[in-house]
Amino acid sequence: MFAEHGFRAATVRQICDRAGANVAAINYHFRDKETLYGEVVRYASARVVETYPFDPKPKGATPELRLRALVRNYLMRFFDPNLAWYGKLICRELAEPTDFFEEIVESDVRHYADQLTEAVKEFLGDEISSERLRMCSNSVAGQCLLYPYTRLILARLYPDDVITTDFIDRLVEHITQFSIAGLRGTRKRAAGKRRRISRTNGRPSASQILKTNRSSARPPD
Amino acid sequence: MFAEHGFRAATVRQICDRAGANVAAINYHFRDKETLYGEVVRYASARVVETYPFDPKPKGATPELRLRALVRNYLMRFFDPNLAWYGKLICRELAEPTDFFEEIVESDVRHYADQLTEAVKEFLGDEISSERLRMCSNSVAGQCLLYPYTRLILARLYPDDVITTDFIDRLVEHITQFSIAGLRGTRKRAAGKRRRISRTNGRPSASQILKTNRSSARPPD
DNA sequence: AGCTCCTTCAAACAGCCGCTTGACTTTTTT
DNA sequence: AAAAAAGTCAAGCGGCTGTTTGAAGGAGCT
């Protein structure tokens, strides 16, 4: 229910109805709705990590095999039918974190991100700047996460597309090859990189922080 | 309020408080909360498209310039301080569509996607298969959308990173170069592509549809 | 001035929300 | 078998939700 409707929209009455239990059961077995949600989130995260571990091909594998395995994990995490609702729940937390999100990031997301960064580093070498490394790692992650995140949009844009196991296979292959080519291109370019000159004839313009919190740039009243 | 808290969580009382209006004003000027939200969504979408049009460099530009301009638009749509709340609202709709989302997809998202596909096609040639074209286009879009989508996650993973105009500049450059290298790599590979053989000695295994709706694969009771 | 039309307002409405209560049944322990 | 603990249940609580009401204000007109 939480995965399908979100924390707020999933009511304790609906949850208990589906579970065949009385509404008071939630407050008896768990303290309240929020604590129950916390347990669900923790359980979901554990099952996902259990089935798709952080580093599926740690030792003795070529960089390409490691990257491919990581890409497959990133995707299967969200499309494995047995873990579909887990994936949706995590996805919901990624898009709109609750109080339990910090916990998920630290115990789950960060490990995935680190493993991906490590795998990417094997293509770029150790001298790469941390910013560029992160951008590259994000480029791979973004390609994977687009599909679960914008699932409903893609379904509407391309109604005929159905996600099958074969499609996932082809997608893993595409993202892996696209990324490897991208990484190699980036490495080459980073080596012979020229200093970018801002438009105001030579003098670099002041960098402006782009705030996105509520204090800035409200809609017109 | 809708952008910050979502449709459900933003209450009419909060909205009217901030607007300095009476709660009945919503039902007088608009019919109800949902209609108001529809107007807001439509307005937000219009402002975004107005400021960052679908195809910023349509004619007489090299493929690279077109792609770079599109990438910049994809990012600025969500990080422009003047349009930050617009971006969040659209982002929220992308992650969890309401009844008004179909309208947004058809009047907004689809055009962006089509323009990106067109720009990508210039790198791949016309003989490319529609699936591969879509995958490539999605690879570019995914790299851009990761940043607004997982804004809060990235902020937690890398607390020191601050998004500045300079960072956006470098990011646009990275995604453009990464994508071009990826596209060229894909083109090369697509030309000399070998038929993939499934593991079950030669005979292709049956492709399984991965359903992600509620009817399949529920959590344990 | 009187009149009409548009707009604002405090108050209240019905409905759903998470949560609690106290009586009841079932299971476990002594 | 008696006592204690654990679990279930219908009913109801206060609080918040979107929406409605009927009265009051105010600008522009003849």
Side-chain angles (χ1 to χ4, degrees), chain A residues 11-28:
Chain A
T11 71
V12 293
R13 283 173 177 80
Q14 290 175 316
I15 293 170
C16 290
D17 272 1
R18 209 204 263 194
N22 190 273
V23 284
I26 284 184
N27 299 93
Y28 180 78

Side-chain angles (χ1 to χ4, degrees), chain B residues 151-182:
Chain B
R151 205 180 83 253
L152 298 171
I153 292 87
L154 292 175
R156 173 144 201 98
L157 280 178
Y158 317 114
D160 295 337
D161 286 9
V162 185
I163 293 184
T164 63
T165 51
D166 275 4
F167 176 78
I168 297 281
D169 286 344
R170 294 195 299 274
L171 188 56
V172 168
E173 207 51 37
H174 163 78
I175 292 176
T176 306
Q177 297 303 333
F178 190 99
S179 298
I180 289 175

Side-chain angles (χ1 to χ4, degrees), chain A residues 81 88 131 139 143 170 212 217, chain B residues 81 88 131 139 170 212 217:
Chain A
K88 278 186 204 167
E131 181 181 271
S139 282
Q143 292 181 71
R170 293 195 299 273
T212 57
Chain B
K88 278 186 204 167
E131 182 181 89
S139 282
R170 294 195 299 274
T212 57

Side-chain angles (χ1 to χ4, degrees), chain A residues 133-149:
Chain A
L133 181 59
R134 259 199 290 250
M135 283 182 179
C136 284
S137 163
N138 284 344
S139 282
V140 180
Q143 292 181 71
C144 300
L145 292 176
L146 178 83
Y147 291 87
Y149 273 35

Side-chain angles (χ1 to χ4, degrees), chain B residues 26-79:
Chain B
I26 284 185
N27 299 91
Y28 179 77
H29 291 283
F30 308 86
R31 194 170 60 250
D32 51 19
K33 184 187 177 186
E34 197 172 339
T35 310
L36 167 64
Y37 181 72
E39 293 295 322
V40 171
V41 166
R42 210 165 290 127
Y43 179 79
S45 186
R47 291 295 80 70
V48 166
V49 174
E50 183 181 85
T51 314
Y52 298 101
F54 302 130
D55 201 353
K57 284 243 171 96
K59 308 273 181 202
T62 66
E64 178 167 340
L65 285 176
R66 275 194 73 186
L67 186 63
R68 183 180 288 106
L70 277 168
V71 166
R72 179 172 289 278
N73 265 20
Y74 261 69
L75 285 172
M76 288 307 291
R77 242 186 101 116
F78 296 105
F79 287 112

Side-chain angles (χ1 to χ4, degrees), chain B residues 114-170:
Chain B
D114 287 348
Q115 294 298 339
L116 181 58
T117 302
E118 283 304 309
V120 165
K121 199 189 246 178
E122 292 186 24
F123 287 92
L124 297 174
D126 285 333
E127 312 84 21
I128 199 77
S129 78
S130 67
E131 182 181 89
R132 191 162 281 270
L133 181 59
R134 245 186 302 228
M135 282 182 179
C136 285
S137 163
N138 285 344
S139 282
V140 180
Q143 291 180 72
C144 300
L145 293 176
L146 178 84
Y147 291 87
Y149 273 34
T150 66
R151 205 180 83 253
L152 298 171
I153 292 87
L154 292 175
R156 173 144 201 98
L157 280 178
Y158 317 114
D160 295 337
D161 286 9
V162 185
I163 293 184
T164 63
T165 51
D166 275 4
F167 176 78
I168 297 281
D169 286 344
R170 294 195 299 274

Side-chain angles (χ1 to χ4, degrees), chain A residues 14 34 39 41 62 79 86 88 98 129 148 172 185 190 199 209 216:
Chain A
Q14 290 175 316
E34 197 172 339
E39 294 294 323
V41 167
T62 67
F79 286 112
Y86 301 110
K88 278 186 204 167
T98 68
S129 78
V172 168
R199 268 150 278 148
I209 294 177
S216 72

